[in-house]
Amino acid sequence: MRFRKFKLVLLPFILVFTIVLNGCTEDNSKVFRDLGGWPKPPLFQGNPFASGGVGQASQYTFEGLFQIVRSTDKIYNRLAESVEHKGNETIIKIRPGVTWQDGKPFTSKDVWSYYMLNNGVEIAKHLTGIEITDDTTMVFKWQEPSPFTEMKNLFLAQDQQATIPYHLYGKYVDKVDELLKQANPTNDPDKKGPFGLEISDKLRKDIDKNWQDFLKAGPKMPVGTGPFIVKKVTASDMILEKNEKYWRAENIKFDRIFIKNPGSDSSGLALLKSGKIDTYPGTPPKDILENMLATNKDLVHYRMFDPATIGMVFNLDKPPFDNQKFRQAVVYALDRTKIREVGNYYGQEADVSMTGMPQSELSKWITPDNREKMTKFSYNPDKAGELLTELGWKKGADGNWADPSGKTPEFIIGVSGGWLQAVNSAQIAAEQMTKFGLPTKLLAVDGSVYYNNATKDKGAYHMSVDWVDVSWGFMFPWNSLRNFYWGGIGNMAHLPKFKDGPDKGKLNMKVPGPDGQVVDIEKTLKGMPYLQKEEERKDAIYKLAWITNENAYGVGFFQNTTGYFENVKTIKGWPREDEFEKYNRSLPVPTEPEDIDAVSEINFGFGGITYFVEGRLSPRE
Amino acid sequence: MRGMIDFFRIICHNKRSLIGLIILIIFILMATVGPFIFKLNMTVDYNNRYLSPSLEHWLGTDFAGRDTFIQLVHGSKEVLLVGLLAAFFTLFVGALLGTLSGLVGGRLDSGIMLITNLFLTIPSFPILIIMAAIFSIRDPVSFALVLSAWSWPGLTRAVRSQIISLKERDFIVICKVMGMSKPHIIFKELMPSITSFLSISFIMTMRGAITGSVGIMMLGLAPYSPTNWGQMLNLAVSQTGGIFNPLGFIYLFSPILCLALFQLGSIFFANGIDEALNPRLRG
């Protein structure tokens, strides 16, 4: 009885105490409220390379020598003070006085550590080594031939070099250094590993084991050089505090970053709608976007080009998709306007099939004259019918097309089931093909088996949906072209490859180009980073884009338009403020170069936390 | 014949089961006759999305301007067929094995229980993923078989427990003393006592199969169908934002209402079945 009374008094007290405590932790002065994911404690740890990394804390905690804006290729110096290219050497000076968040100085050796241990990075394939001159100077030595200057910069800017502090991971760095010293340089391009070394199987095994050991090591909390330090991590919240010793601390206008882990898109949108977060990535369907802006007047939505196109590739191993005209007919049969309206209303349709590069980049690299020479693939079911008739197909009384042998085939489009935007787009494509007379079903397959199904043997699907014309990392079109021809998308398309001999596994594609001359795609792609003249590069890009389009290896449904919601009541410094009223807080994709840059950089996925480091963002008083 | 007349007389006298029967008949007509009356057109008509209900579009249109009611009609065929078949297979296997296990006992019981427990402990998700990599479902029967593959063990155990409990009752002991045949004991004495349980299990399995069919689709085992009620619900949440977009409420609630009504009809009807078949409830 007495205990019950005690409980009656204690419970309200605990309730009040909790509310007060919550109020204290939700101190909104000079706070930026973000959202994202991370491995839940006890899995959370400080090694960014371990499974799941450090999640959303990564961009606030870690940085590199440079910050590349993925969608524009603009490069900011971060920890690098200067870069000088001299022939086959690149001399980088790092900023003096930079420290790790645990107080230890950041030196050239830390950058060297990153490349030694993380030697699978792309740039390592183009270097012979990295030489430390002193604590703040290092020399990157390039192999012969070396890439053109802008390419070198892109390779350097891709990496986040301040992630493997030598004072924490020295044991593993020294071990891999020892192992790499046992390897010999080679000139055989097929045997070349990192730094031009031939890595034997035994050595590879030892290097991999050392890497696995490194993944298990590391501090409990991340130690970077970035402007914020991770202080508290729970399953639902993360708190970061300003790093007072940051090399550009005067630019950082926030004392704390609160990150919420909403667990689902709907919960994230609810947080945004109720004003509990200051930023939210993506462009939801038009009606949801408009509703969000209507119900929370403090929000602004910026749309921006995503250098990625949702589309599908045709499986060249499955007849009739081995026939160029048939593939072209399918592209003509698709009404991409209707696919875009459902898949991404604000997306951009293309008048090409696919080119191996995002549609928004075509005008930068291909002259108007050459662009005119590229076949237009706008919606044209009559043209599609003509092409099928030319191939001997006949349309039956049931409205379905029968092949020359009299059979009406049934096609399968494969898509990763968890990617709803692609599922919806592909469903419309399947409906349209069926209506046109080519019965098509969609299989929305679990993501864990989808890629394997699409690529193994002859492939399980006639058409596979993915990001097709897509540029991950940087925008120079070699990146997206190789992504198609050498990457997973090419595997889904089952592009012809040598099955044996010295070129086993390489593309066996010698295809007529725009001038009728045969183009060896493998050779052209391989040589592209070493073309020193811009004209040569543009010519190679045009040839490959023309071939990709003309052969209709796939079809881009639409270039994705991504975006960001920002809270303008709590945070100031967002771009295009003078246009909020004009566009009713729903800002279209910018067209002016400076606007394109400014808007791209608010996207953490494109440009990291550039707005924080450059001192553009601050809390509203 | 007389039995059938009696059965329907009891059903019709019971208000609940009559309502249930009417609801089920409407759904059966919707699934069988509906698709011939209402032609499905899934062409995107973006400018006419989220239209309010009207004579032209009885339940308005969805996020892509397609008629919601016609999607429900065409979805009902697949949903009901797959649900019914899955429930039938589950009930058939579960009731058969459970009855045998409980009645015969001994090694047969141990053997059946071993297999049942094995199926209960094997997680379905990885197996379905492996199945998705190997083959794809092309017809409602195989779809239903896949759905019922993991739902029969639970029912088997439940039926076995019921039978073990019943077979020790006086009326069964008397039947045995009187030398009545096993089939008589099973079908005339035991089965009527567990019919109500089986009919409720049938309904619950059917509901599980309808929602489970979406999962099977999203694993890639069966072709994706945007008119499947469960899939419509998925799309309503993701495409209309569910609670974030009042325009999409009708599209969101239509499949929910259909699923709820269908279950309600089934439960009400089961109530009548119980009264018609359960000897303890008969006058």
Side-chain angles (χ1 to χ4, degrees), chain A residues 236-273:
Chain A
S236 59
D237 294 88
M238 203 188 260
I239 298 173
L240 291 83
E241 282 180 8
K242 184 179 173 179
N243 174 9
E244 297 296 348
K245 291 182 185 148
Y246 185 55
W247 57 273
R248 219 182 212 179
E250 74 283 357
N251 271 2
I252 308 301
K253 311 286 196 321
F254 296 89
D255 296 332
R256 270 188 234 98
I257 306 286
F258 289 164
I259 311 176
K260 288 246 173 243
N261 187 345
S264 72
D265 288 350
S266 300
S267 308
L269 283 169
L271 287 170
L272 182 75
K273 199 171 182 171

mmCIF file of all heavy atoms in Angstrom, chain A residues 236-273:
data_model
loop_
_atom_site.group_PDB
_atom_site.id
_atom_site.type_symbol
_atom_site.label_atom_id
_atom_site.label_comp_id
_atom_site.label_asym_id
_atom_site.label_seq_id
_atom_site.Cartn_x
_atom_site.Cartn_y
_atom_site.Cartn_z
ATOM 1 N N SER A 236 18.241 6.068 -32.356
ATOM 2 C CA SER A 236 17.385 7.030 -33.062
ATOM 3 C C SER A 236 18.001 8.412 -33.232
ATOM 4 O O SER A 236 17.543 9.192 -34.055
ATOM 5 C CB SER A 236 16.061 7.175 -32.318
ATOM 6 O OG SER A 236 16.315 7.627 -30.995
ATOM 7 N N ASP A 237 19.029 8.732 -32.443
ATOM 8 C CA ASP A 237 19.603 10.079 -32.491
ATOM 9 C C ASP A 237 21.126 10.048 -32.465
ATOM 10 O O ASP A 237 21.734 9.137 -31.912
ATOM 11 C CB ASP A 237 19.128 10.896 -31.279
ATOM 12 C CG ASP A 237 17.640 11.151 -31.318
ATOM 13 O OD1 ASP A 237 16.887 10.289 -30.811
ATOM 14 O OD2 ASP A 237 17.240 12.187 -31.865
ATOM 15 N N MET A 238 21.664 11.089 -33.063
ATOM 16 C CA MET A 238 23.106 11.279 -33.027
ATOM 17 C C MET A 238 23.360 12.748 -32.711
ATOM 18 O O MET A 238 22.680 13.618 -33.275
ATOM 19 C CB MET A 238 23.693 10.913 -34.388
ATOM 20 C CG MET A 238 25.154 10.529 -34.351
ATOM 21 S SD MET A 238 25.809 10.333 -35.998
ATOM 22 C CE MET A 238 25.768 8.593 -36.201
ATOM 23 N N ILE A 239 24.286 13.010 -31.834
ATOM 24 C CA ILE A 239 24.613 14.408 -31.521
ATOM 25 C C ILE A 239 26.079 14.645 -31.827
ATOM 26 O O ILE A 239 26.950 13.895 -31.382
ATOM 27 C CB ILE A 239 24.298 14.744 -30.042
ATOM 28 C CG1 ILE A 239 22.796 14.572 -29.772
ATOM 29 C CG2 ILE A 239 24.741 16.166 -29.709
ATOM 30 C CD1 ILE A 239 22.402 14.720 -28.315
ATOM 31 N N LEU A 240 26.338 15.692 -32.624
ATOM 32 C CA LEU A 240 27.710 16.078 -32.946
ATOM 33 C C LEU A 240 27.941 17.490 -32.421
ATOM 34 O O LEU A 240 27.018 18.321 -32.441
ATOM 35 C CB LEU A 240 27.938 16.069 -34.466
ATOM 36 C CG LEU A 240 27.934 14.708 -35.157
ATOM 37 C CD1 LEU A 240 26.533 14.234 -35.473
ATOM 38 C CD2 LEU A 240 28.730 14.777 -36.450
ATOM 39 N N GLU A 241 29.143 17.737 -31.969
ATOM 40 C CA GLU A 241 29.463 19.078 -31.473
ATOM 41 C C GLU A 241 30.562 19.701 -32.312
ATOM 42 O O GLU A 241 31.403 19.001 -32.887
ATOM 43 C CB GLU A 241 29.893 19.006 -29.996
ATOM 44 C CG GLU A 241 28.685 18.851 -29.087
ATOM 45 C CD GLU A 241 29.063 18.779 -27.617
ATOM 46 O OE1 GLU A 241 30.251 19.008 -27.284
ATOM 47 O OE2 GLU A 241 28.166 18.463 -26.821
ATOM 48 N N LYS A 242 30.577 21.002 -32.335
ATOM 49 C CA LYS A 242 31.552 21.729 -33.157
ATOM 50 C C LYS A 242 32.967 21.398 -32.717
ATOM 51 O O LYS A 242 33.268 21.350 -31.515
ATOM 52 C CB LYS A 242 31.293 23.232 -33.039
ATOM 53 C CG LYS A 242 32.205 24.068 -33.930
ATOM 54 C CD LYS A 242 31.901 25.551 -33.818
ATOM 55 C CE LYS A 242 32.947 26.357 -34.576
ATOM 56 N NZ LYS A 242 32.682 27.793 -34.503
ATOM 57 N N ASN A 243 33.839 21.191 -33.693
ATOM 58 C CA ASN A 243 35.258 20.952 -33.441
ATOM 59 C C ASN A 243 35.939 22.321 -33.384
ATOM 60 O O ASN A 243 36.176 22.948 -34.420
ATOM 61 C CB ASN A 243 35.819 20.089 -34.582
ATOM 62 C CG ASN A 243 37.326 19.890 -34.493
ATOM 63 O OD1 ASN A 243 37.952 20.244 -33.493
ATOM 64 N ND2 ASN A 243 37.905 19.315 -35.536
ATOM 65 N N GLU A 244 36.218 22.791 -32.176
ATOM 66 C CA GLU A 244 36.772 24.149 -31.998
ATOM 67 C C GLU A 244 38.158 24.289 -32.624
ATOM 68 O O GLU A 244 38.600 25.392 -32.917
ATOM 69 C CB GLU A 244 36.822 24.512 -30.508
ATOM 70 C CG GLU A 244 35.450 24.579 -29.831
ATOM 71 C CD GLU A 244 34.530 25.677 -30.386
ATOM 72 O OE1 GLU A 244 35.014 26.533 -31.139
ATOM 73 O OE2 GLU A 244 33.318 25.634 -30.079
ATOM 74 N N LYS A 245 38.842 23.140 -32.825
ATOM 75 C CA LYS A 245 40.192 23.193 -33.405
ATOM 76 C C LYS A 245 40.170 23.021 -34.920
ATOM 77 O O LYS A 245 41.216 22.857 -35.550
ATOM 78 C CB LYS A 245 41.064 22.093 -32.786
ATOM 79 C CG LYS A 245 41.384 22.352 -31.313
ATOM 80 C CD LYS A 245 42.280 21.279 -30.788
ATOM 81 C CE LYS A 245 42.485 21.487 -29.285
ATOM 82 N NZ LYS A 245 42.655 20.225 -28.591
ATOM 83 N N TYR A 246 38.989 23.049 -35.501
ATOM 84 C CA TYR A 246 38.870 22.861 -36.957
ATOM 85 C C TYR A 246 39.655 23.957 -37.670
ATOM 86 O O TYR A 246 39.671 25.117 -37.237
ATOM 87 C CB TYR A 246 37.391 22.898 -37.367
ATOM 88 C CG TYR A 246 37.151 22.588 -38.827
ATOM 89 C CD1 TYR A 246 37.627 21.410 -39.391
ATOM 90 C CD2 TYR A 246 36.425 23.464 -39.641
ATOM 91 C CE1 TYR A 246 37.400 21.113 -40.729
ATOM 92 C CE2 TYR A 246 36.175 23.176 -40.985
ATOM 93 C CZ TYR A 246 36.680 21.995 -41.528
ATOM 94 O OH TYR A 246 36.457 21.705 -42.854
ATOM 95 N N TRP A 247 40.288 23.602 -38.771
ATOM 96 C CA TRP A 247 41.174 24.558 -39.466
ATOM 97 C C TRP A 247 40.404 25.764 -40.025
ATOM 98 O O TRP A 247 40.994 26.773 -40.383
ATOM 99 C CB TRP A 247 41.965 23.865 -40.574
ATOM 100 C CG TRP A 247 41.122 23.174 -41.617
ATOM 101 C CD1 TRP A 247 40.644 21.908 -41.552
ATOM 102 C CD2 TRP A 247 40.666 23.716 -42.857
ATOM 103 N NE1 TRP A 247 39.901 21.615 -42.670
ATOM 104 C CE2 TRP A 247 39.900 22.711 -43.494
ATOM 105 C CE3 TRP A 247 40.810 24.951 -43.492
ATOM 106 C CZ2 TRP A 247 39.300 22.898 -44.736
ATOM 107 C CZ3 TRP A 247 40.219 25.135 -44.732
ATOM 108 C CH2 TRP A 247 39.463 24.112 -45.340
ATOM 109 N N ARG A 248 39.081 25.629 -40.100
ATOM 110 C CA ARG A 248 38.285 26.750 -40.588
ATOM 111 C C ARG A 248 37.122 27.004 -39.628
ATOM 112 O O ARG A 248 35.990 27.245 -40.051
ATOM 113 C CB ARG A 248 37.760 26.420 -41.971
ATOM 114 C CG ARG A 248 37.778 27.587 -42.915
ATOM 115 C CD ARG A 248 37.198 27.167 -44.233
ATOM 116 N NE ARG A 248 37.829 27.884 -45.310
ATOM 117 C CZ ARG A 248 37.528 27.702 -46.588
ATOM 118 N NH1 ARG A 248 36.642 26.813 -46.919
ATOM 119 N NH2 ARG A 248 38.121 28.397 -47.537
ATOM 120 N N ALA A 249 37.426 26.915 -38.347
ATOM 121 C CA ALA A 249 36.378 26.993 -37.314
ATOM 122 C C ALA A 249 35.548 28.264 -37.413
ATOM 123 O O ALA A 249 34.355 28.258 -37.093
ATOM 124 C CB ALA A 249 37.007 26.874 -35.934
ATOM 125 N N GLU A 250 36.172 29.349 -37.869
ATOM 126 C CA GLU A 250 35.434 30.626 -37.930
ATOM 127 C C GLU A 250 34.266 30.581 -38.904
ATOM 128 O O GLU A 250 33.327 31.379 -38.810
ATOM 129 C CB GLU A 250 36.390 31.786 -38.281
ATOM 130 C CG GLU A 250 36.867 31.859 -39.725
ATOM 131 C CD GLU A 250 37.955 30.855 -40.108
ATOM 132 O OE1 GLU A 250 38.424 30.088 -39.239
ATOM 133 O OE2 GLU A 250 38.357 30.853 -41.286
ATOM 134 N N ASN A 251 34.309 29.660 -39.865
ATOM 135 C CA ASN A 251 33.223 29.537 -40.846
ATOM 136 C C ASN A 251 32.051 28.707 -40.344
ATOM 137 O O ASN A 251 30.974 28.735 -40.934
ATOM 138 C CB ASN A 251 33.748 28.883 -42.132
ATOM 139 C CG ASN A 251 34.293 29.918 -43.104
ATOM 140 O OD1 ASN A 251 34.304 31.107 -42.801
ATOM 141 N ND2 ASN A 251 34.761 29.461 -44.243
ATOM 142 N N ILE A 252 32.285 27.951 -39.298
ATOM 143 C CA ILE A 252 31.255 27.028 -38.817
ATOM 144 C C ILE A 252 30.362 27.754 -37.823
ATOM 145 O O ILE A 252 30.786 28.118 -36.726
ATOM 146 C CB ILE A 252 31.893 25.762 -38.173
ATOM 147 C CG1 ILE A 252 32.907 25.123 -39.138
ATOM 148 C CG2 ILE A 252 30.813 24.777 -37.751
ATOM 149 C CD1 ILE A 252 32.348 24.686 -40.482
ATOM 150 N N LYS A 253 29.113 27.986 -38.231
ATOM 151 C CA LYS A 253 28.204 28.828 -37.444
ATOM 152 C C LYS A 253 27.279 28.020 -36.517
ATOM 153 O O LYS A 253 26.378 28.573 -35.914
ATOM 154 C CB LYS A 253 27.321 29.666 -38.393
ATOM 155 C CG LYS A 253 28.087 30.395 -39.500
ATOM 156 C CD LYS A 253 28.843 31.578 -38.955
ATOM 157 C CE LYS A 253 29.310 32.579 -39.989
ATOM 158 N NZ LYS A 253 29.811 32.129 -41.257
ATOM 159 N N PHE A 254 27.497 26.731 -36.469
ATOM 160 C CA PHE A 254 26.625 25.885 -35.641
ATOM 161 C C PHE A 254 27.433 25.239 -34.515
ATOM 162 O O PHE A 254 28.573 24.825 -34.722
ATOM 163 C CB PHE A 254 25.977 24.787 -36.491
ATOM 164 C CG PHE A 254 25.056 25.325 -37.544
ATOM 165 C CD1 PHE A 254 25.539 25.650 -38.813
ATOM 166 C CD2 PHE A 254 23.711 25.531 -37.286
ATOM 167 C CE1 PHE A 254 24.710 26.170 -39.789
ATOM 168 C CE2 PHE A 254 22.867 26.043 -38.257
ATOM 169 C CZ PHE A 254 23.363 26.371 -39.507
ATOM 170 N N ASP A 255 26.817 25.185 -33.333
ATOM 171 C CA ASP A 255 27.484 24.534 -32.201
ATOM 172 C C ASP A 255 27.244 23.032 -32.213
ATOM 173 O O ASP A 255 28.069 22.271 -31.717
ATOM 174 C CB ASP A 255 26.939 25.087 -30.873
ATOM 175 C CG ASP A 255 27.279 26.568 -30.729
ATOM 176 O OD1 ASP A 255 28.305 26.971 -31.306
ATOM 177 O OD2 ASP A 255 26.505 27.291 -30.066
ATOM 178 N N ARG A 256 26.096 22.651 -32.747
ATOM 179 C CA ARG A 256 25.733 21.236 -32.696
ATOM 180 C C ARG A 256 24.986 20.791 -33.942
ATOM 181 O O ARG A 256 24.314 21.595 -34.587
ATOM 182 C CB ARG A 256 24.830 20.965 -31.483
ATOM 183 C CG ARG A 256 25.601 20.605 -30.234
ATOM 184 C CD ARG A 256 24.671 20.161 -29.129
ATOM 185 N NE ARG A 256 24.931 20.958 -27.937
ATOM 186 C CZ ARG A 256 24.228 22.015 -27.586
ATOM 187 N NH1 ARG A 256 23.234 22.402 -28.313
ATOM 188 N NH2 ARG A 256 24.519 22.686 -26.508
ATOM 189 N N ILE A 257 25.107 19.518 -34.226
ATOM 190 C CA ILE A 257 24.294 18.892 -35.265
ATOM 191 C C ILE A 257 23.491 17.796 -34.577
ATOM 192 O O ILE A 257 24.063 16.939 -33.899
ATOM 193 C CB ILE A 257 25.179 18.241 -36.372
ATOM 194 C CG1 ILE A 257 26.181 19.233 -36.976
ATOM 195 C CG2 ILE A 257 24.312 17.590 -37.450
ATOM 196 C CD1 ILE A 257 25.609 20.260 -37.911
ATOM 197 N N PHE A 258 22.182 17.862 -34.723
ATOM 198 C CA PHE A 258 21.324 16.765 -34.249
ATOM 199 C C PHE A 258 20.897 15.964 -35.469
ATOM 200 O O PHE A 258 20.372 16.541 -36.421
ATOM 201 C CB PHE A 258 20.051 17.292 -33.564
ATOM 202 C CG PHE A 258 20.290 17.924 -32.224
ATOM 203 C CD1 PHE A 258 19.312 18.723 -31.644
ATOM 204 C CD2 PHE A 258 21.466 17.709 -31.522
ATOM 205 C CE1 PHE A 258 19.512 19.309 -30.400
ATOM 206 C CE2 PHE A 258 21.685 18.281 -30.269
ATOM 207 C CZ PHE A 258 20.702 19.094 -29.709
ATOM 208 N N ILE A 259 21.136 14.677 -35.437
ATOM 209 C CA ILE A 259 20.698 13.848 -36.572
ATOM 210 C C ILE A 259 19.678 12.829 -36.069
ATOM 211 O O ILE A 259 19.923 12.125 -35.104
ATOM 212 C CB ILE A 259 21.879 13.118 -37.253
ATOM 213 C CG1 ILE A 259 23.035 14.089 -37.540
ATOM 214 C CG2 ILE A 259 21.424 12.445 -38.542
ATOM 215 C CD1 ILE A 259 24.278 13.450 -38.130
ATOM 216 N N LYS A 260 18.559 12.798 -36.741
ATOM 217 C CA LYS A 260 17.504 11.832 -36.400
ATOM 218 C C LYS A 260 17.563 10.674 -37.393
ATOM 219 O O LYS A 260 17.838 10.884 -38.580
ATOM 220 C CB LYS A 260 16.117 12.482 -36.525
ATOM 221 C CG LYS A 260 15.826 13.475 -35.427
ATOM 222 C CD LYS A 260 14.697 12.975 -34.557
ATOM 223 C CE LYS A 260 14.484 13.854 -33.337
ATOM 224 N NZ LYS A 260 14.733 13.153 -32.086
ATOM 225 N N ASN A 261 17.287 9.477 -36.889
ATOM 226 C CA ASN A 261 17.195 8.321 -37.769
ATOM 227 C C ASN A 261 15.712 7.935 -37.868
ATOM 228 O O ASN A 261 15.187 7.286 -36.972
ATOM 229 C CB ASN A 261 18.007 7.153 -37.191
ATOM 230 C CG ASN A 261 18.075 5.982 -38.164
ATOM 231 O OD1 ASN A 261 17.313 5.912 -39.128
ATOM 232 N ND2 ASN A 261 18.976 5.059 -37.918
ATOM 233 N N PRO A 262 15.025 8.380 -38.923
ATOM 234 C CA PRO A 262 13.564 8.193 -38.952
ATOM 235 C C PRO A 262 13.133 6.762 -39.236
ATOM 236 O O PRO A 262 12.015 6.379 -38.927
ATOM 237 C CB PRO A 262 13.120 9.121 -40.084
ATOM 238 C CG PRO A 262 14.292 9.209 -40.982
ATOM 239 C CD PRO A 262 15.524 9.012 -40.141
ATOM 240 N N GLY A 263 14.006 5.987 -39.848
ATOM 241 C CA GLY A 263 13.654 4.584 -40.105
ATOM 242 C C GLY A 263 12.873 4.362 -41.385
ATOM 243 O O GLY A 263 12.933 3.299 -41.955
ATOM 244 N N SER A 264 12.105 5.354 -41.824
ATOM 245 C CA SER A 264 11.367 5.193 -43.088
ATOM 246 C C SER A 264 11.151 6.561 -43.715
ATOM 247 O O SER A 264 11.230 7.586 -43.033
ATOM 248 C CB SER A 264 10.016 4.526 -42.842
ATOM 249 O OG SER A 264 9.139 5.430 -42.205
ATOM 250 N N ASP A 265 10.847 6.555 -45.014
ATOM 251 C CA ASP A 265 10.606 7.807 -45.732
ATOM 252 C C ASP A 265 9.422 8.561 -45.136
ATOM 253 O O ASP A 265 9.461 9.782 -44.987
ATOM 254 C CB ASP A 265 10.326 7.530 -47.219
ATOM 255 C CG ASP A 265 11.597 7.097 -47.945
ATOM 256 O OD1 ASP A 265 12.680 7.202 -47.335
ATOM 257 O OD2 ASP A 265 11.498 6.646 -49.094
ATOM 258 N N SER A 266 8.365 7.809 -44.803
ATOM 259 C CA SER A 266 7.157 8.449 -44.268
ATOM 260 C C SER A 266 7.455 9.150 -42.949
ATOM 261 O O SER A 266 7.000 10.272 -42.714
ATOM 262 C CB SER A 266 6.058 7.408 -44.050
ATOM 263 O OG SER A 266 5.756 6.800 -45.263
ATOM 264 N N SER A 267 8.236 8.475 -42.092
ATOM 265 C CA SER A 267 8.583 9.094 -40.807
ATOM 266 C C SER A 267 9.448 10.329 -41.032
ATOM 267 O O SER A 267 9.296 11.336 -40.336
ATOM 268 C CB SER A 267 9.350 8.104 -39.929
ATOM 269 O OG SER A 267 8.665 6.904 -39.830
ATOM 270 N N GLY A 268 10.344 10.247 -41.996
ATOM 271 C CA GLY A 268 11.198 11.396 -42.328
ATOM 272 C C GLY A 268 10.377 12.581 -42.788
ATOM 273 O O GLY A 268 10.587 13.716 -42.353
ATOM 274 N N LEU A 269 9.406 12.302 -43.658
ATOM 275 C CA LEU A 269 8.533 13.368 -44.148
ATOM 276 C C LEU A 269 7.691 13.955 -43.012
ATOM 277 O O LEU A 269 7.444 15.159 -42.973
ATOM 278 C CB LEU A 269 7.615 12.842 -45.258
ATOM 279 C CG LEU A 269 8.262 12.666 -46.640
ATOM 280 C CD1 LEU A 269 7.343 11.906 -47.573
ATOM 281 C CD2 LEU A 269 8.644 14.009 -47.266
ATOM 282 N N ALA A 270 7.288 13.095 -42.083
ATOM 283 C CA ALA A 270 6.510 13.584 -40.932
ATOM 284 C C ALA A 270 7.356 14.526 -40.079
ATOM 285 O O ALA A 270 6.864 15.565 -39.602
ATOM 286 C CB ALA A 270 6.015 12.405 -40.105
ATOM 287 N N LEU A 271 8.625 14.178 -39.889
ATOM 288 C CA LEU A 271 9.542 15.044 -39.131
ATOM 289 C C LEU A 271 9.702 16.395 -39.828
ATOM 290 O O LEU A 271 9.726 17.448 -39.198
ATOM 291 C CB LEU A 271 10.923 14.384 -38.990
ATOM 292 C CG LEU A 271 11.054 13.206 -38.023
ATOM 293 C CD1 LEU A 271 12.419 12.534 -38.188
ATOM 294 C CD2 LEU A 271 10.894 13.670 -36.579
ATOM 295 N N LEU A 272 9.815 16.335 -41.139
ATOM 296 C CA LEU A 272 9.982 17.558 -41.926
ATOM 297 C C LEU A 272 8.725 18.418 -41.848
ATOM 298 O O LEU A 272 8.794 19.634 -41.631
ATOM 299 C CB LEU A 272 10.270 17.187 -43.387
ATOM 300 C CG LEU A 272 10.522 18.337 -44.343
ATOM 301 C CD1 LEU A 272 11.907 18.932 -44.134
ATOM 302 C CD2 LEU A 272 10.386 17.886 -45.787
ATOM 303 N N LYS A 273 7.598 17.772 -41.992
ATOM 304 C CA LYS A 273 6.319 18.473 -42.003
ATOM 305 C C LYS A 273 6.081 19.188 -40.673
ATOM 306 O O LYS A 273 5.547 20.300 -40.634
ATOM 307 C CB LYS A 273 5.205 17.451 -42.246
ATOM 308 C CG LYS A 273 3.908 18.045 -42.715
ATOM 309 C CD LYS A 273 2.947 16.956 -43.141
ATOM 310 C CE LYS A 273 1.673 17.560 -43.664
ATOM 311 N NZ LYS A 273 0.790 16.596 -44.282
#
